C-alpha cells in the first residue's frame, strides 16, 4: 500500500440514490455525553437524518449497524445541519436542521439499554420556524457579543438575511446589489457577517449595522429614497476576488491568528479581519472543499483541501505538507475526535460515501515466531518429494501451451452429412455444361451440458463451395437441451474446389461465479462433403496428358467396391476402371492393374486429379483397416511431376502481375479523369465563356477507359481466385505424392504442407509466391541444410527484406526443386532441430541485421554451381579481405602506377595491379641501365621510353578487359585468377623486350 494514501479507519455507504452537499455534514457531541467524543451528523436532500458514533475495525454491515445511533426520515429535504447552543437557558448542545422552508431545532438524547441491543437514542423537536422565503444556507454564533447561547442567521435565495434568537425571530435585512446567494460565515472577533456577492467580491457587514438598517419588509431599489426611517445598508469593507467562491471559513481556535479563508475556483485566499490580504495560493487543480484547523506552529494555520482528482492535501499556510490519495471526490470534510482515534478526517461524497480516515503509516506489530525445534521425518519428506516429482513429470509430459481441462465441455457439436443427394437441388447454379449441380444436406446437433446464452453458429466452406445459410443464431439452451440446424452445401463456381471439408464454429457465453454475464468461448468442429457433390461417373478416357501411378503391397482391389456410389452408373462391370467427370473440370480416370498391385490415375488436367487421388488413398486405408490388414503400405515410384506443377505456379503468377498492371493503369486513368474534371469545372466557373477545347470528349473517353479497365480488373480478379484454388489443388497433390514417395510421417507431411501452402487466400499485400519462397528458404537453411554450421549460421541471421511480388518465379521453382531433392536424399523435416543447434561464436558476430549472407549450397549440378558463385561474389563485395586492403595501400604509394591506371581507364582486379607494379619496377631498372650505357642520346631514349610505356599501357588495358570477363565467369577460383595474371604479365614483358632489342 502506498504511503501517500488515506488509511481507511471506518466507512459507511449512506442509502441508495441520495444526494449530499457541503452543508450536509457536521461533527460534535450532539448527545451531550460529556466524554468529549464527537458524533457524525449527516443529512441528505432526501430528508434522511443519520447520526453515527464510529468504532475501529467495524466497517462491515454489523459494524455499521452498531455505529449508527439514529436514523430519522424527515418530511423535507435537509440543506444544512449544525450543532450548537440553540436553546435559551440551556448549556446543552442541540441540533439545528435547515429545510428549504423551515428551521428545526432538535435535542438528541440516549438511554442506557438493559438488554443486549445496547443504548437507545431518540430525537425530540424543541422548536421550529416556518420561513417565508426559500433558504439557501445558514450560520450561527454569539451575535452582538451575547455569551452563553448561539443565534442563527439564514440567507434566503433572494438575498435576505433572517436572524433568529432561539425560539424567536429577530429581524431580516436585504443585501444590497444581490443577484445570487454565496457562502455565509460569522466572524465572532469583529461581530460581522461575511459573504461573497455576485460581483465576485467579499463583503463584510457588522451586526450592529444590520440591526439599525432599514427594515426588510420588501425588496427596495437602492436608487430610490427610503420610505421609512433607518440607514441604508452598506458593507464595512469589500475585497475583490475576481472569481466565485466555493466556501468561506473563519477559524475560531484561540491560538490562531485572526484570519479569514476563502476557497475560490482556482485560488485560496487568506485575509485579515480588516480585509487586508495575508497571502494567496494559486491552485493547479479544481478544489471541492476545505477546512482550516489548528496548527502546532504559532502564527500559521493548517488546511485540509480536497480536489476533483481524488486527493486530500494538507497545507500549512501556502506550503504543501502532505498529500493523501482518496478513492472518491469529497464534497465536505471535517476533523473529529473518537474514542479510539483522535483527529480523524471525516469526508463525505455527493453520493453518500462516508469515510473516517487518517494519514501516515500503520504501526508494525509483527513478532518473530518461535522456531519449531522438532526433528524432520526424512521418510515423510522423501515420500512428499516423490509425490511432487510425480506431479511435475505428469505436468511436463505434454508440451501443450494451454492446459487440458478434465471437465466436460459446455457444448457438444455433432455433424451428420446426408448420404443421399437432395431432391430437388438447393444449388444456385442449376446446371454446368449440361450436368445438373447437386446439393447435400448437413445436419448439426448442438447439445448443452449447462446453461448457455447468446450462442451463434457459423459455417465455413472452401470456395467455390457454398451453403444455403452460413450463420445461425441459437436460442438460449438449458441443461441437457439440444438444438438442431440444417443447411445444404453445393458447388457455386465453374471450377472444382481444393478441399471438400467444412468448418463449424459455435461461439457462446458460459457464465461463471466472477462473471455472471458469461465468459466468451468458442467450439469448433469439422465435416467432410462427399465426392459426388462435385463430379459424376463417366466413361474412362484412353488418352490423357497427365498420369500418376500409386503402388501398394496388397492384392488389387475391385474399384466398384471402393466407390460404390459411382460404380452403379459406371460402364465397366469388371471393376478395373472408373472415371469421374467433374462438373466444371476435366475427366479423371482410375485404372487398376489386373496382374500387379498398381493403380493409375490419369487426366487432362493436373490439378483435377487431386480430389480423386486423395479420396482413393483414404478409401484404401479404410478398406484395409476394416479387413484387419496392419502392414498396408502405399507408395509413389516417381518422378515428381514438378514441371506440370510449375505450369500452375506460372499461371497464377501471371494473373497476379496482370492484376498489378490493371491497378497501376486504373490509378493513372483516375488521376487523368480528376485532372480533366478540375479543368472543366474551372471553365464552367469562369464568368467569361471560353471554348472547352474538346475537354468533354476527352472526359468521356477517359471515363470509358476507366470503366473498361475496372471490368477487366474484376474479370482478372475472378480468374485469379480460380487460379489460386487450382494452385492449392496442385500443391496438395504434390505434397501427397512427395509423402508417398519418401514415406513421410504425418508430422513431416504437416510441416511440408504448411511450407508450400502458407496462405489460404491471396491478398494485395502478400501473395503465395513470396510467402512460399520464404518458407522453403527457411527449411533449406535450417533442417534441410547440408551441415550444422550452415544451419547455425541461418539461425543467427536476423531481419530480412520485406516480402513483395517477385520479378519472376525462377527463384521459387529452383528452391522447390532443391527442397524435393534434399528430401529425396534423406533430409528430415523437423522443427525440433532448430532448438538443438548451437550457434558458433564466429557466427554470432555476424548476427547483425544484414550481416549474414545467403548460405552457399554445395555444388551438385549446374544450377547449384551458379547459385554458389553468385553468393561468393556477393560476399566478396561486402567483406573485403586484409590482403586487398594492403594492396590498396601499396597502389596508393606508387604515383606512376596511378597514372598508368588513369590512362588505362577503369579499376583493375587487385592481383593484376600487384603484378603490374612489379613490371613497372623492372621497367625502371632496365631504363636506368640503358641510360648508363647510352648516355649520349638521353633525349631520344626518353622519347622511346615514353612510347614503350604508352604501348604497354594499351596492351595492359586490353588484358584488363579480358581478365575482367574471366573473373566474371570464374569468381570463386582464385587459382585461375593467379594463372591468368601470370600469363598476362609474361606477355607484357616479352612485348617490352622486343622494342628494346630493336633499339640495341
Amino acid at each position: 500500500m502506498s504511503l501517500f494514501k488515506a488509511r481507511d479507519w471506518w466507512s459507511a455507504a449512506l442509502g441508495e440514490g441520495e444526494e449530499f452537499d457541503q452543508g450536509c455534514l457536521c461533527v460534535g457531541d450532539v448527545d451531550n455525553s460529556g466524554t468529549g467524543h464527537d458524533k457524525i451528523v449527516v443529512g441528505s436532500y432526501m430528508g434522511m437524518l443519520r447520526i453515527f458514533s464510529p468504532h475501529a475495525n467495524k466497517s462491515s454491515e454489523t459494524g455499521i449497524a452498531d455505529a449508527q445511533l439514529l436514523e430519522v426520515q424527515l418530511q423535507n429535504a435537509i440543506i444544512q445541519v449544525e450543532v450548537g447552543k440553540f436553546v435559551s437557558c440551556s448549556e446543552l448542545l442541540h441540533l439545528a436542521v435547515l429545510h428549504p422552508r423551515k428551521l428545526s431545532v432538535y435535542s438528541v438524547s440516549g438511554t442506557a439499554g438493559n438488554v443486549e441491543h445496547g443504548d437507545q437514542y431518540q430525537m425530540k423537536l424543541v422548536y421550529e420556524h416556518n420561513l417565508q422565503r426559500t433558504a439557501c444556507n445558514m450560520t450561527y454564533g454569539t451575535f452582538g457579543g451575547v455569551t452563553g447561547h448561539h443565534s442563527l442567521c439564514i440567507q434566503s435565495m433572494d438575498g435576505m438575511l433572517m436572524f433568529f434568537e432561539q425560539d424567536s425571530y429577530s429581524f431580516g435585512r436585504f443585501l444590497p446589489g444581490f443577484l445570487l446567494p454565496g457562502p455565509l460565515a460569522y466572524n465572532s472577533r469583529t461581530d460581522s457577517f461575511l459573504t461573497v456577492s455576485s460581483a465576485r467580491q467579499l463583503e463584510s457587514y457588522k451586526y450592529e449595522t444590520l440591526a439599525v438598517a432599514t427594515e426588510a419588509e420588501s425588496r427596495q431599489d437602492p436608487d430610490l429614497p427610503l420610505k421609512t426611517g433607518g440607514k441604508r445598508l452598506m458593507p464595512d469593507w469589500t475585497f475583490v476576488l475576481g472569481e466565485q467562491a466555493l466556501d468561506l471559513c473563519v477559524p475560531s481556535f484561540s491560538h490562531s491568528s485572526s484570519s479569514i479563508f476563502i476557497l475560490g475556483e482556482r485560488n485560496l485566499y487568506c485575509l485579515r479581519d480588516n480585509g487586508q490580504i495575508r497571502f494567496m495560493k494559486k491552485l493547479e487543480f479544481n478544489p471541492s472543499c476545505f477546512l482550516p484547523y489548528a496548527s502546532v506552529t504559532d502564527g500559521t494555520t493548517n488546511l485540509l483541501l480536497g480536489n476533483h482528482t481524488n486527493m486530500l492535501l494538507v497545507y500549512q499556510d501556502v506550503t504543501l505538507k502532505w498529500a493523501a490519495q482518496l478513492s472518491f471526490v469529497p464534497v465536505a470534510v471535517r476533523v473529529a475526535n473518537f474514542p479510539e482515534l483522535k483527529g480523524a478526517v471525516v469526508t463525505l461524497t455527493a453520493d453518500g460515501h462516508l469515510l473516517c480516515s487518517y494519514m501516515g503509516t500503520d504501526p508494525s506489530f509483527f513478532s518473530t515466531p518461535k522456531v519449531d525445534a522438532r526433528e524432520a521425518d526424512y521418510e515423510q519428506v522423501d515420500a512428499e518429494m516423490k509425490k511432487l516429482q510425480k506431479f511435475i513429470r505428469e505436468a511436463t509430459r505434454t508440451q501443450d501451451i494451454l492446459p487440458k481441462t478434465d471437465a466436460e465441455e459446455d457444448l457438444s457439436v455433432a455433424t451428420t452429412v446426408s448420404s443421399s443427394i437432395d431432391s430437388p437441388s438447393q444449388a444456385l447454379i442449376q446446371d454446368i455444361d449440361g450436368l445438373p449441380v447437386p446439393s447435400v444436406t448437413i445436419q448439426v446437433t448442438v447439445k448443452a451440458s449447462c446453461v448457455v446464452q447468446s450462442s451463434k453458429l457459423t459455417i465455413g466452406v472452401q470456395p467455390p463451395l457454398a451453403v444455403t445459410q452460413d450463420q445461425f443464431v441459437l436460442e438460449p439452451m438449458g441443461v441437457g437441451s439440444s438444438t438442431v440446424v440444417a443447411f445444404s452445401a453445393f458447388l457455386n463456381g465453374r471450377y472444382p474446389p481444393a478441399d471438400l471439408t467444412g468448418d463449424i464454429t459455435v461461439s457462446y457465453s458460459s457464465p461463471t461465479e466472477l462473471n455472471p454475464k458469461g465468459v466468451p468461448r468458442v467450439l469448433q468442429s469439422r465435416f467432410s462433403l462427399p465426392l459426388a457433390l462435385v463430379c459424376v461417373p463417366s466413361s474412362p478416357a484412353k488418352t490423357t496428358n497427365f498420369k500418376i501411378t500409386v503402388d501398394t503391397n496388397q492384392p488389387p482391389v475391385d474399384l466398384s467396391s471402393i466407390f460404390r456410389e459411382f460404380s452403379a452408373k459406371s460402364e465397366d462391370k469388371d471393376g478395373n476402371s472408373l472415371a469421374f467427370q467433374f462438373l466444371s473440370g476435366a475427366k479423371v480416370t482410375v485404372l487398376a492393374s489386373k496382374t500387379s498391385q498398381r493403380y493409375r490415375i490419369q487426366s487432362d488436367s493436373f490439378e483435377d486429379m487431386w480430389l480423386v487421388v486423395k479420396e482413393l488413398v483414404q478409401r484404401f486405408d479404410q478398406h484395409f483397416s476394416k479387413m484387419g490388414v496392419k502392414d498396408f503400405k502405399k507408395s509413389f515410384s516417381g518422378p515428381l511431376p514438378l514441371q506440370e506443377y510449375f505450369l500452375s505456379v506460372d499461371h497464377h503468377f501471371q494473373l497476379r502481375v496482370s492484376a498489378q498492371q490493371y491497378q497501376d493503369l486504373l490509378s493513372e486513368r483516375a488521376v487523368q479523369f480528376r485532372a480533366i474534371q478540375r479543368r472543366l469545372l474551372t471553365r464552367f466557373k469562369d464568368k467569361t465563356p471560353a471554348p472547352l477545347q474538346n475537354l468533354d470528349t476527352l472526359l468521356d473517353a477517359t471515363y470509358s477507359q476507366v470503366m473498361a479497365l475496372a471490368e477487366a480488373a474484376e474479370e482478372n480478379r475472378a480468374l485469379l481466385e480460380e487460379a489460386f484454388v487450382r494452385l492449392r489443388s496442385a500443391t496438395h497433390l504434390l505434397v501427397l505424392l512427395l509423402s508417398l514417395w519418401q514415406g513421410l510421417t504425418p508430422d513431416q507431411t504437416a510441416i511440408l504442407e504448411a511450407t508450400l501452402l502458407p496462405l489460404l487466400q491471396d491478398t494485395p499485400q502478400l501473395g503465395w509466391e513470396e510467402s512460399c519462397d520464404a518458407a522453403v528458404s527457411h527449411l533449406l537453411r535450417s533442417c534441410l541444410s547440408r551441415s550444422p554450421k550452415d544451419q547455425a549460421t541461418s539461425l543467427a541471421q536476423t531481419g530480412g527484406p520485406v516480402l513483395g511480388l517477385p520479378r519472376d518465379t525462377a527463384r521459387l521453382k529452383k528452391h522447390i526443386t532443391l527442397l524435393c531433392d534434399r528430401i529425396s536424399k534423406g533430409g528430415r523435416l523437423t522443427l525440433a532441430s532448430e532448438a538443438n543447434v548451437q550457434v558458433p561464436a564466429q557466427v554470432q558476430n555476424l548476427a547483425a541485421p544484414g550481416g549474414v549472407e545467403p548460405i552457399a549450397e554445395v555444388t551438385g549440378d549446374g544450377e547449384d554451381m551458379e547459385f554458389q558463385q553468385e553468393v561468393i561474389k556477393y560476399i566478396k563485395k561486402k567483406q573485403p579481405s586484409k590482403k586487398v586492403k594492403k594492396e590498396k595501400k601499396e597502389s596508393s604509394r606508387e604515383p606512376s602506377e596511378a597514372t598508368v591506371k588513369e590512362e588505362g581507364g577503369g579499376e583493375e582486379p587487385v592481383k593484376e595491379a600487384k603484378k603490374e607494379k612489379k613490371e613497372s619496377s623492372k621497367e625502371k631498372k632496365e631504363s636506368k641501365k640503358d641510360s648508363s650505357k647510352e648516355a649520349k642520346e638521353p633525349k631520344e631514349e626518353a622519347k622511346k621510353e615514353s612510347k614503350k610505356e604508352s604501348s604497354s599501357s594499351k596492351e595492359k588495358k586490353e588484358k584488363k578487359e579480358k581478365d575482367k570477363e574471366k573473373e566474371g565467369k570464374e569468381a570463386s577460383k582464385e587459382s585461375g585468377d593467379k594463372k591468368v595474371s601470370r600469363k598476362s604479365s609474361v606477355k607484357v614483358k616479352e612485348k617490352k623486350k622486343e622494342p628494346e632489342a630493336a633499339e640495341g
Side-chain angles (χ1 to χ4, degrees):
M1 182 181 290
S2 172
L3 177 66
F4 299 98
K5 183 178 180 181
R7 311 293 183 183
D8 295 354
W9 184 72
W10 181 88
S11 63
L14 308 181
E16 294 181 0
E18 299 186 38
E19 295 182 11
F20 303 84
D21 206 349
Q22 61 182 5
C24 299
L25 173 68
C26 74
V27 296
D29 189 13
V30 68
D31 61 341
N32 298 284
S33 61
T35 59
H37 299 147
D38 295 329
K39 314 296 185 301
I40 303 175
V41 181
V42 183
S44 72
Y45 284 165
M46 303 298 291
M48 189 69 69
L49 183 68
R50 299 177 178 89
I51 301 177
F52 295 93
S53 178
H55 300 283
N57 300 325
K58 289 186 179 180
S59 294
S60 60
E61 295 181 359
T62 56
I64 295 174
D66 293 340
Q68 186 167 347
L69 305 182
L70 191 64
E71 184 178 39
V72 179
Q73 175 66 58
L74 302 180
Q75 296 180 356
N76 301 312
I78 300 174
I79 299 176
Q80 191 172 345
V81 289
E82 295 291 350
V83 175
K85 302 176 182 179
F86 302 129
V87 178
S88 59
C89 303
S90 175
E91 293 292 332
L92 300 178
L93 296 176
H94 289 74
L95 177 63
V97 180
L98 179 63
H99 302 286
R101 287 280 185 166
K102 184 186 294 186
L103 172 65
S104 304
V105 177
Y106 298 91
S107 64
V108 180
S109 59
T111 304
N114 297 323
V115 292
E116 61 181 0
H117 298 297
D119 299 341
Q120 297 179 1
Y121 288 83
Q122 57 184 352
M123 187 173 68
K124 294 182 180 180
L125 179 63
V126 179
Y127 62 87
E128 65 180 12
H129 293 285
N130 293 320
L131 307 178
Q132 301 297 324
R133 301 178 184 276
T134 304
C136 176
N137 51 22
M138 68 175 178
T139 185
Y140 70 94
T142 56
F143 303 163
V146 178
T147 58
H149 64 273
H150 294 151
S151 300
L152 290 166
C153 175
I154 301 174
Q155 181 180 203
S156 66
M157 297 295 291
D158 57 354
M160 183 180 182
L161 298 181
M162 296 171 284
F163 296 88
F164 298 89
E165 289 191 17
Q166 287 81 43
D167 54 354
S168 61
Y169 172 73
S170 298
F171 57 91
R173 299 288 183 267
F174 278 105
L175 296 177
F178 182 86
L179 182 61
L180 291 174
L184 181 67
Y186 174 71
N187 188 355
S188 59
R189 294 185 294 271
T190 59
D191 192 23
S192 59
F193 294 87
L194 303 169
T195 184
V196 179
S197 66
S198 300
R200 296 186 175 181
Q201 62 182 6
L202 179 65
E203 300 176 352
S204 174
Y205 298 93
K206 282 190 173 294
Y207 180 73
E208 182 181 358
T209 305
L210 291 168
V212 301
T214 306
E215 183 68 22
E217 296 179 356
S218 61
R219 196 162 194 172
Q220 297 180 0
D221 192 341
D223 297 334
L224 298 177
L226 297 176
K227 297 180 180 179
T228 58
K231 295 182 179 179
R232 189 186 303 274
L233 184 58
M234 296 292 292
D236 295 335
W237 55 264
T238 59
F239 179 81
V240 178
L241 301 176
E243 60 180 328
Q244 188 59 41
L246 301 180
D247 202 357
L248 182 63
C249 187
V250 182
S252 58
F253 29 87
S254 58
H255 64 277
S256 171
S257 59
S258 57
S259 300
I260 302 169
F261 291 91
I262 307 99
L263 179 64
E265 295 174 338
R266 283 292 180 181
N267 299 280
L268 175 67
Y269 303 90
C270 179
L271 308 180
R272 293 186 174 86
D273 289 341
N274 57 2
Q276 296 179 357
I277 187 168
R278 286 187 60 208
F279 61 81
M280 184 186 79
K281 172 69 175 176
K282 184 174 179 58
L283 306 177
E284 297 179 356
F285 45 80
N286 293 326
S288 60
C289 61
F290 85 130
L291 176 72
Y293 67 96
S295 174
V296 295
T297 306
D298 293 338
T300 61
T301 305
N302 286 5
L303 290 103
L304 285 174
L305 187 60
N307 59 21
H308 285 275
T309 59
N310 300 351
M311 295 292 293
L312 188 63
L313 308 175
V314 180
Y315 284 92
Q316 186 175 26
D317 287 347
V318 295
T319 305
L320 180 64
K321 292 295 186 180
W322 195 263
Q325 181 73 43
L326 297 174
S327 59
F328 48 77
V329 178
V331 296
V333 58
R334 300 288 186 271
V335 176
N337 294 322
F338 300 116
E340 292 91 349
L341 184 63
K342 306 294 183 182
V345 180
V346 184
T347 52
L348 177 67
T349 66
D351 55 356
H353 186 80
L354 184 64
L355 173 66
C356 297
S357 60
Y358 59 94
M359 288 170 280
T361 56
D362 295 322
S364 177
F365 299 103
F366 175 76
S367 58
T368 306
K370 294 182 180 179
V371 179
D372 192 358
R374 291 183 303 169
E375 294 183 359
D377 188 354
Y378 292 102
E379 294 181 356
Q380 183 180 359
V381 172
D382 187 41
E384 185 179 1
M385 185 68 179
K386 290 180 179 179
K387 184 178 179 181
L388 294 175
Q389 288 179 345
K390 182 180 178 182
F391 288 156
I392 294 173
R393 284 195 301 270
E394 292 178 355
T396 57
R397 186 172 299 170
T398 59
Q399 299 296 329
D400 296 338
I401 298 175
L402 297 177
K404 296 181 179 179
T405 57
D406 298 333
E408 185 182 359
E409 292 288 343
D410 298 335
L411 284 180
S412 61
V413 179
T415 308
T416 305
V417 181
S418 177
S419 58
S420 60
I421 302 299
D422 294 344
S423 179
S425 176
Q426 302 293 326
L428 298 179
I429 303 175
Q430 293 300 322
D431 63 274
I432 299 177
D433 297 335
L435 298 176
V437 179
S439 66
V440 65
T441 301
I442 299 96
Q443 191 173 1
V444 182
T445 304
V446 182
K447 187 176 181 180
S449 60
C450 66
V451 178
V452 176
Q453 298 177 353
S454 63
S455 54
K456 185 178 180 181
L457 188 142
T458 307
I459 300 101
V461 290
Q462 299 296 329
L465 296 175
V467 292
T468 53
Q469 186 176 350
D470 59 352
Q471 289 186 353
F472 295 89
V473 178
L474 307 181
E475 298 292 334
M477 293 182 289
V479 179
S481 63
S482 61
T483 302
V484 179
V485 296
F487 58 91
S488 296
F490 51 87
L491 186 67
N492 195 31
R494 299 187 179 275
Y495 54 95
D499 198 353
L500 288 176
T501 60
D503 296 321
I504 296 176
T505 305
V506 182
S507 59
Y508 62 97
S509 297
S510 176
T512 60
E513 296 180 358
L514 299 178
N515 192 352
K517 294 182 179 180
V519 177
R521 298 182 183 276
V522 175
L523 185 65
Q524 292 183 333
S525 178
R526 177 164 288 191
F527 62 91
S528 298
L529 296 173
L531 185 62
L533 195 65
V534 294
C535 61
V536 294
S538 178
S539 59
K542 296 182 180 180
T543 59
T544 56
N545 295 331
F546 306 102
K547 298 177 182 179
I548 293 175
T549 302
V550 177
D551 299 336
T552 62
N553 62 347
Q554 297 296 326
V557 180
D558 187 5
L559 295 178
S560 60
S561 63
I562 298 294
F563 295 93
R564 295 184 181 275
E565 67 271 25
F566 294 95
S567 61
K569 300 179 182 180
S570 176
E571 297 178 359
D572 186 13
K573 302 301 180 183
D574 296 336
N576 294 329
S577 64
L578 201 61
F580 304 88
Q581 176 63 52
F582 281 91
L583 299 178
S584 55
K587 182 185 295 185
V588 181
T589 304
V590 181
L591 299 175
S593 177
K594 297 181 180 179
T595 57
S596 62
Q597 302 167 354
R598 294 185 177 184
Y599 302 87
R600 173 174 290 179
I601 302 95
Q602 58 188 15
S603 174
D604 289 333
S605 175
F606 178 72
E607 301 90 354
D608 293 346
M609 291 191 293
W610 152 242
L611 290 178
V612 177
V613 175
K614 175 187 176 184
E615 195 75 17
L616 181 66
V617 171
Q618 288 181 351
R619 297 200 181 195
F620 276 166
D621 293 337
Q622 295 174 2
H623 174 74
F624 288 108
S625 63
K626 288 181 181 179
M627 294 177 59
V629 178
K630 296 182 180 179
D631 59 344
F632 171 69
K633 293 182 180 179
K634 49 194 180 297
S635 61
F636 172 70
S637 58
L640 289 176
L642 288 178
Q643 298 304 321
E644 294 83 352
Y645 174 67
F646 290 154
L647 292 177
S648 300
V649 174
D650 290 335
H651 179 57
H652 176 262
F653 177 75
Q654 190 59 42
L655 288 175
R656 284 191 64 196
V657 173
S658 300
Q660 185 64 37
Q661 292 174 353
Y662 281 129
Q663 184 71 24
D664 297 340
L665 286 174
L666 267 176
S667 300
E668 293 177 2
R669 294 298 180 270
V671 171
Q672 178 180 335
F673 188 73
R674 288 193 295 270
I676 298 170
Q677 280 183 325
R678 285 195 296 269
R679 290 200 176 188
L680 275 175
L681 187 61
T682 305
R683 295 290 178 90
F684 291 148
K685 284 184 176 180
D686 195 357
K687 294 181 180 180
T688 60
L692 297 180
Q693 296 179 349
N694 295 326
L695 285 176
D696 52 346
T697 307
L698 187 58
L699 184 68
D700 293 338
T702 307
Y703 176 75
S704 302
Q705 291 179 2
V706 169
M707 296 305 296
L709 283 172
E711 292 174 358
E714 185 64 22
E715 182 180 355
N716 186 83
R717 185 191 60 80
L719 292 176
L720 183 60
E721 291 180 358
E722 178 181 350
F724 185 70
V725 173
R726 291 187 179 276
L727 179 61
R728 286 188 59 199
S729 301
T731 307
H732 280 301
L733 180 58
L734 181 66
V735 171
L736 178 61
L737 295 179
L738 193 57
S739 63
L740 294 177
W741 185 33
Q742 296 298 322
L744 301 180
T745 62
D747 293 340
Q748 293 175 338
T749 306
I751 294 174
L752 185 61
E753 187 170 350
T755 303
L756 295 178
L757 279 175
L759 299 177
L760 290 180
Q761 61 181 1
D762 271 329
T763 60
Q765 294 79 18
L766 188 63
W768 177 84
E769 284 81 5
E770 54 266 30
S771 304
C772 181
D773 190 19
V776 172
S777 301
H778 176 71
L779 286 185
L780 293 176
R781 292 168 179 168
S782 56
C783 60
L784 295 180
S785 61
R786 290 292 189 184
S787 62
K789 182 179 179 182
D790 296 341
Q791 182 176 351
T793 307
S794 67
L795 293 177
Q797 182 176 3
T798 59
V802 179
L803 296 182
L805 182 65
R807 291 180 296 178
D808 51 27
T809 57
R811 177 185 173 88
L812 174 62
K813 294 177 187 177
K814 180 180 176 181
H815 284 174
I816 293 178
T817 306
L818 192 59
L819 173 72
C820 299
D821 181 62
R822 292 283 179 85
I823 295 176
S824 66
K825 292 179 181 178
R828 292 186 58 215
L829 288 172
T830 176
L831 299 179
S833 62
E834 298 178 2
N836 301 327
V837 176
Q838 295 182 356
V839 181
Q842 64 270 21
V843 177
Q844 292 179 359
N845 298 330
L846 301 176
V852 177
E853 311 304 336
I855 304 304
E857 307 294 342
V858 179
T859 58
D861 50 6
E863 292 181 349
D864 291 350
M865 286 283 293
E866 293 177 1
F867 184 72
Q868 184 187 18
Q869 291 172 3
E870 292 175 0
V871 172
I872 293 175
K873 287 171 64 179
Y874 187 73
I875 293 177
K876 280 189 174 184
K877 291 180 182 179
K878 286 287 185 179
Q879 299 175 355
S881 62
K882 296 181 180 178
K883 191 174 181 181
V884 174
K885 294 180 181 178
K886 291 181 180 179
E887 290 169 354
K888 286 184 178 179
K889 291 180 181 178
E890 291 175 3
S891 62
S892 63
R893 293 174 185 174
E894 297 289 342
S896 61
E897 192 66 19
T899 57
V900 172
K901 286 183 181 180
E902 291 176 0
E903 293 175 0
E907 296 179 358
E908 300 180 29
V910 178
K911 295 178 181 178
E912 188 68 17
K914 189 175 181 181
K915 295 295 181 181
E916 289 178 356
K917 291 173 190 174
K918 294 180 180 179
E919 295 168 7
S920 62
S921 61
K922 289 180 180 180
E923 289 173 5
K924 290 180 181 179
K925 291 179 181 179
E926 291 173 357
S927 62
K928 288 179 181 179
K929 290 178 182 179
D930 294 337
S931 61
S932 61
K933 290 179 182 179
E934 300 176 2
K936 297 179 181 179
E937 299 177 355
K939 297 181 181 179
E940 294 179 0
E941 287 293 333
K943 292 180 180 178
K944 290 179 181 180
E945 193 67 30
S946 63
K947 291 180 180 179
K948 292 176 190 178
E949 291 177 357
S950 62
S951 62
S952 64
S953 63
K954 291 179 181 178
E955 291 170 357
K956 288 175 188 176
K957 182 178 179 180
E958 295 175 357
K959 292 301 178 181
K960 287 174 194 173
E961 294 175 353
K962 292 180 182 179
D963 294 341
K964 284 183 181 179
E965 294 175 359
K966 290 180 181 180
E967 279 185 355
K969 294 179 181 178
E970 298 176 0
S972 62
K973 298 179 180 180
E974 296 179 2
S975 61
D977 294 341
K978 292 179 180 179
K979 291 179 181 178
V980 172
S981 61
R982 287 175 184 173
K983 291 179 181 179
S984 61
S985 61
V986 170
K987 290 180 181 179
V988 170
K989 290 179 181 178
E990 291 174 355
K991 289 183 179 180
K992 287 182 180 178
K993 290 179 180 179
E994 289 175 2
E996 288 177 1
E999 290 173 1

